Amino acid sequence: MAIRAWLLLFMAVALFSWTGHSKFIAYNTTSTIVNGKINVHLVPHTHDDVGWLKTIDQYYVGSNNSIQDACVQNVLDSLVPALLADKNRKFIYAFFQRWWDEQSEVVKSTVKKLVNSGQLELINGGMCMHDEAATHYIDMIDQTTLGHRFIKAEFNVTPRIGWQIDPFGHSAVQAYLLGAEVGFDSFFFGRIDYQDRAKRKNDKTLEVVWRGSKSLGSSSQIFAGAFPENYEPPSRFYYEVNSGTDDPIVQDNPNLFDYNVMERVNQFVAAAISQANITRTNHVMWTMGTDFQYQYARTWFRQMDKFIHYVNQDGRVNALYSTPSIYTDAKHAADEYWPLKSEDYFPYADKQNAYWTGYFTSRPALKGYVRVTSAYYLAARQLEFFRGKSKAGPNTDYLADALAIAQHHDAVSGTSKQHVADDYAKRIAIGYSEAEKVVAASLSQLTNSASKTGYNHSSIKYQQEINDLKCPLLNISYCPPSEVDLSKGKNLVIVVYNPLGWKREDVVKIPIVDENVVVKDFRGKEIESQFIPLSHVSVAIRKYHAKAYLGKLPKVTPRYWLAFSAIVPPLGFSTYTVSSAKGAAAGGGSEKESVNVSARNEDHKIQVGSGNLKLFYSKKSGQLTKYINKRSMVDESVEQSFGYYSGDDGSVDMQASGAYIFRPNLTYPIRYEKKIGPIPINDGIGKEIVTKISSSLKSNKKFYTDSNGRDFIERIRDYRKDWNLEVNQPVAGNYYPINLGIYTKDKSSELSLLVDRAVGGSSIVDGQLELMLHRRLLEDDDRGVAEALNETVCIADNCQGLTIVGKYYLRVDPLGEGAKWRRSYGQELYSPFLLAFTEQDEHNWNSHVPTFYGMSPSYALPDNVAILTLQELEGGKVLLRLAHLYEVGEDKDLSIMASVELKKVFNNKKINSIEETSLSANQKRSEMEKKRLVWKVKGSSKEPKVLRGRPIDQKNLVVELFPMEIRTFIINFYS
C-alpha cells in the first residue's frame, strides 16, 4: 500500500510539472556586428576526415561504428533542414562532393539557395584538408584545383577562406601558395607549438599577417589566425547528442528544474571576455563543433539560438551566427596593424616531450607510393592531352580522385589505422591501373607512323599497341615486361617518355634474365650498356614481396640489372630496343662495363669511379668515407652511418613514441649490412632507423629544409625565431619535414641530400645531416589512432616487418653552387622517366615513330622552369601551369626572369584564346587581385620590390616568370 501511495504521489508531481504555464519562445537570432562591444562570432562547423580510424566510405555511410560513431551522410542530411528552420543560422563545410552527387534536383536547388544566401559557406574547397608536412606542393595544388573547379561548376562560387584546422603544424607554402595564390582572404588553423601558443596569447599575436615566401613577399601574404586552443568550442559549450560529454544546456523553462539562463549567460560572457583579452580588435571567433559533429544538427543550433537570444538581451557582449568570411571582413574593417609572421609553424608539440615529428616518416611505403603515382599522374595527363581525352574512358580521373584523397592529413601523413592506410593504397592502385590504359592508348597512337604529322588523331585505329605496361614493382626488382626471353627473335621495345620541358639524359635500369643482349637507340645504333648482378638480398626481397603481391612466386628470376643511358627530348619520348646478341659469345653484345673499383689495401679503402667524381668506401664497414669532385674542386671527408633511436615506451610519463610522436630514448649504431630491415622487435623495443652523413663543414647549428618541395627555410638547432625555445627534446624538437631535400653549408662548401619521398630530418651535430628512413613501434602515442605503428607484410600466416627500398641522393658543392643540383635534379627526381614496354618483331616496329616531340623540336623550356600541369579539361579546354623553380638570390645564373614561348610549346596547335587564372583555376587572376584584401602590417620595414611576370600578350603568347612564381592558364585552341 505504501508503494502504491508513493507511485501516485510521483505521478501527481510529474503531472504538475508538465502542466505548468510553459509557452513558446521565439528566439531572436537576427543579431549582426555591434560596434563598441565584444562580438562573439559563433561559427558552426564539423571536421569530417576523409579516412582516419575508418575508411572514407565507412565514414560517409556510417558503418564500422564499433571503432567510431560517425556518419557524414547524417551530418549533411541533418544540416539542411536545420538551416532552413532559421535563415539567420549559418554553417561552414569542406567534405561535400560525394553527398552532393547523391541528392535529388530539389535538394540541390535548396542547397544552392543556402550557399547563395551565405547560410552555407564552402570553405577550403579542396577534395580534402591536406597535410602540410608530408605533401608535395604539386599534389597540394592538384587536389585543391579538383575541389575548387567542382565548386565553381556547381555553385559558381570561389572559396574565400583557408581552413586547415587539424594538420599537425603548418607550412609556409600553405600560407602563400595554397592561401594567397588561390585567392583566399584568410587562413585559420588549430595546431601550433604549445610554447608558441602561450607566448602568442600573452602578446595578442595569435592572428598575424603571414608572409610565407621570401621571393614573393607581400604580394602573396595572407591574414592568418591560430585558435586559442584547438578547433573545438570553449570548455562547457559542446552539444553533440550521445557524445559522452555533459556540458549544461541552456534550460530556460522556469517551470522545470535546473533553470540556468543567467548562469549560462554569465559563463558565456566570461569565456568571451577571456578570449577577447588575448585577441586584437573586439571580434572573437568560437568554433562551434569538432570531429563528425552535427549528426543531429538541431541539438547544436537549439543551444546557439538560446545563447544568442539571452546573451544579447543581457547586453554585455554581442553574440551572432557567423562564418570565417564574416569574421575576416570584420577584422579587416577594424583597420588594425597586424604583427608579421614569416617562415612556418614547424615543428609542432602539444606538450612537453611530445613533438609531432615522427609522422614526417611514418608509413614510408605509402609515402613512396604516393610520390611515384603522383609523378605518373603528371605524365599521364600530358599523354592524355596529346591523344585527346576520351569521354567514355579510360581516363585519369580515378587516379586524380585517389591521389587527392591521399593528401589528407591522416593519409600520406601515415597517421591512420592500418586498414585505412590499406584502403588509400587500394584506391591509388585502381587509379594507377586505369591511368596505365590511358598511357598505353596514348603511346600506341603517338608511336604509330600516322602520328608523324602531329598529335590528337583520335579517329585512327592501330593494330600494333603498347599493351604491357605493368611494372609497378620495379623497386623490388620485379618487372615482367623486361623479364622475357629474347633468344627467339623477339625484341623488347622500351618507350621512354620525358615529362619535363627540357632535354634530358638519365639512366634506365631494368631487370633482365639474360646478359646476351644489346641495346639500340631510336636510330638503330647500338649503345653502351651495363650489367649489374642482382644481389642475393635483392632476390630475396623480390621473391618475398612479389609472392605477397601476386599470391605466387614469379616464374623466372632475373640475373642482372640492365642499365643504359637514355636521351629524351623535352615533353617527348625516345624508343630503345633490347634484343638478343644473336649467338655472340658472352660479353659479345653490349659492353659489360663494371663499376671502376680499385682496392687500396694500404689504407683499407675502396675507390669507386675513375673520372672527375670519386667516392671512397671503408673496406671494413662498407660505408662512405670521402667525396672528391675534381671538376668542382671539392675534396671532402664525408662519412655515412646508420643507426636507430629506441622508441620511448611511455612508461615514465605516459608519452610513447608512435605514429605521430617522435620520442627517442637512446641511440644505437647499426652494423653495416647489405640489408637493413625488416626492423627487428624481438627485444620488445620499437625502433626508428636513421642515416647520418657527417662532414667537416662548420655549419654553426644552421641547416635548410624545403617547404613542401618548394622554398627552402633556414633552421637553427635548438632555436625558434618567434619565441625563446625551452629545449626538452634535443633530437625530436629539431626534426623538420623534408619533401625535396636538406642541406647545410659553411663559408666554402654545401652538403646536400635529396629524397625520393617525404621523410623527417635534421642536423643534430654541426656538419652532419640526418634522415629518418623507417619506423616500427610497439606502443600507441595516445593521439587518437589507438594502434601501434607496426607495419607488416604477410604471406598466409607468415608476417614480417615491412622492408623499405628507397633512395636518397648526396652531393657536395662549392658554396653557392648547390642550388642548381637541388632544383634541377630535384625536379627530375619528382618527374622521372615514364617507361612503357612492348614486345615486337623488328620488322613490325620499324614502321613506328621512334621519337616524339611534344613541343617544337628546336625548343626547350628554360632550365629554371617546369611544367607542373598540362591537362585537357571539359570542352576541349587545356589547363597549363608553369613554375619558376628558383628563389630570389638562390643562384647567380638561374634566379632571374624566364620566358616561355607558348607558340613553340604548342607548335602543332593554334591558340584561340588564353586566360590567366588563380592557382586553382577557378577565377580570373585579374579578378582575384581586384578582390584581394590589403592588410596593414605592424613594424614592417620596406621590402625589396616584388617582381612578377607581365600579363600575357595575346599576340606574342610569351609567359614571363620571376623567381618562385607559378602561373596558371586556361587555353582554348582552334579546332
Side-chain angles (χ1 to χ4, degrees), residues 614-618 621-627 638-641 693 810:
K614 294 184 176 67
L615 302 178
F616 293 87
Y617 290 82
S618 165
S621 70
Q623 295 174 356
L624 179 68
T625 61
K626 197 173 187 63
Y627 179 107
V638 177
E639 296 186 0
Q640 174 194 32
S641 62
I693 305 295
L810 162 71

Side-chain angles (χ1 to χ4, degrees), residues 347-570:
Y348 161 60
D350 58 1
K351 64 177 184 179
Q352 187 175 357
N353 298 322
Y355 278 94
W356 296 47
T357 53
Y359 82 96
F360 300 161
T361 299
S362 294
R363 301 198 188 280
L366 180 61
K367 285 177 165 67
Y369 194 33
V370 168
R371 179 62 58 85
V372 167
T373 50
S374 172
Y376 194 85
Y377 173 57
L378 184 150
R381 281 181 293 171
Q382 294 176 359
L383 290 168
E384 188 174 43
F385 159 72
F386 291 134
R387 176 177 181 261
K389 189 169 185 177
S390 170
K391 294 181 180 178
N395 56 51
T396 57
D397 293 349
Y398 196 103
L399 183 56
D401 289 339
L403 281 172
I405 292 168
Q407 308 312 314
H408 171 58
H409 60 271
D410 283 308
V412 69
S413 61
T415 55
S416 68
K417 283 186 176 293
Q418 183 64 58
H419 77 105
V420 181
D422 294 341
D423 185 74
Y424 291 129
K426 180 179 180 180
R427 293 173 186 277
I428 294 172
I430 294 170
Y432 179 86
S433 181
E434 188 76 3
E436 277 188 322
K437 298 173 186 176
V438 175
V439 170
S442 299
L443 290 176
S444 294
Q445 177 170 314
L446 295 172
T447 55
N448 190 280
S449 58
S451 293
K452 287 183 178 178
T453 57
Y455 44 76
N456 199 22
H457 296 271
S458 56
S459 63
I460 301 174
K461 304 295 183 182
Y462 303 102
Q463 294 180 344
Q464 300 292 338
E465 292 190 357
I466 297 174
N467 52 21
D468 193 359
L469 295 170
K470 295 185 182 299
C471 204
L473 298 179
L474 193 57
N475 65 320
I476 60 165
S477 317
Y478 180 67
C479 182
S482 69
E483 298 169 16
V484 294
D485 182 1
L486 301 177
S487 63
K488 298 179 181 179
K490 287 283 188 179
N491 294 332
L492 175 65
V493 178
I494 308 172
V495 181
V496 184
Y497 178 72
N498 174 20
L500 295 179
W502 57 76
K503 183 180 178 181
R504 179 173 173 190
E505 181 175 3
D506 206 347
V507 174
V508 172
K509 188 175 151 189
I510 56 174
I512 58 171
V513 296
D514 187 0
E515 66 193 279
N516 292 311
V517 297
V518 294
V519 182
K520 296 179 180 179
D521 65 13
F522 63 89
R523 299 182 183 90
K525 179 184 177 183
E526 187 175 322
I527 63 172
E528 185 178 67
S529 60
Q530 186 180 77
F531 298 88
I532 306 169
L534 254 72
S535 68
H536 295 303
V537 171
S538 296
V539 171
I541 291 174
R542 168 195 162 89
K543 285 182 177 179
Y544 187 89
H545 289 86
K547 185 174 182 181
Y549 182 78
L550 300 172
K552 60 182 179 181
L553 286 172
K555 293 180 180 179
V556 297
T557 299
R559 299 170 57 197
Y560 301 97
W561 286 104
L562 170 64
F564 62 90
S565 182
I567 302 173
V568 189

Side-chain angles (χ1 to χ4, degrees), residues 144-276:
T144 302
T145 299
L146 202 60
H148 280 196
R149 288 185 61 79
F150 162 77
I151 292 172
K152 183 68 173 180
E154 294 291 340
F155 300 98
N156 195 30
V157 167
T158 56
R160 291 185 58 197
I161 305 298
W163 191 253
Q164 291 286 111
I165 60 176
D166 197 26
F168 326 124
H170 303 281
S171 73
V173 157
Q174 175 63 37
Y176 86 85
L177 198 60
L178 279 301
E181 293 296 300
V182 299
F184 289 162
D185 287 323
S186 61
F187 166 42
F188 297 98
F189 46 94
R191 299 186 188 272
I192 63 172
D193 188 274
Y194 73 102
Q195 295 182 39
D196 190 12
R197 193 190 303 271
K199 184 176 188 299
R200 290 183 181 280
K201 283 182 177 181
N202 189 60
D203 297 345
K204 291 190 174 184
T205 57
L206 286 168
E207 294 174 328
V208 296
V209 169
W210 191 351
R211 197 172 289 173
S213 171
K214 300 187 294 290
S215 299
L216 298 179
S218 61
S219 73
S220 63
Q221 67 188 22
I222 191 169
F223 180 78
F227 301 138
E229 297 303 331
N230 209 325
Y231 54 86
E232 289 89 4
S235 178
R236 309 289 284 168
F237 292 93
Y238 182 94
Y239 296 110
E240 188 73 6
V241 171
N242 300 327
S243 63
T245 63
D246 193 26
D247 290 6
I249 63 170
V250 178
Q251 205 295 84
D252 58 350
N253 186 341
N255 296 312
L256 303 180
F257 292 149
D258 301 324
Y259 180 85
N260 66 352
V261 171
M262 204 62 232
E263 177 185 356
R264 292 302 282 148
V265 167
N266 286 338
Q267 291 168 348
F268 187 102
V269 172
I273 293 172
S274 176
Q275 187 167 335

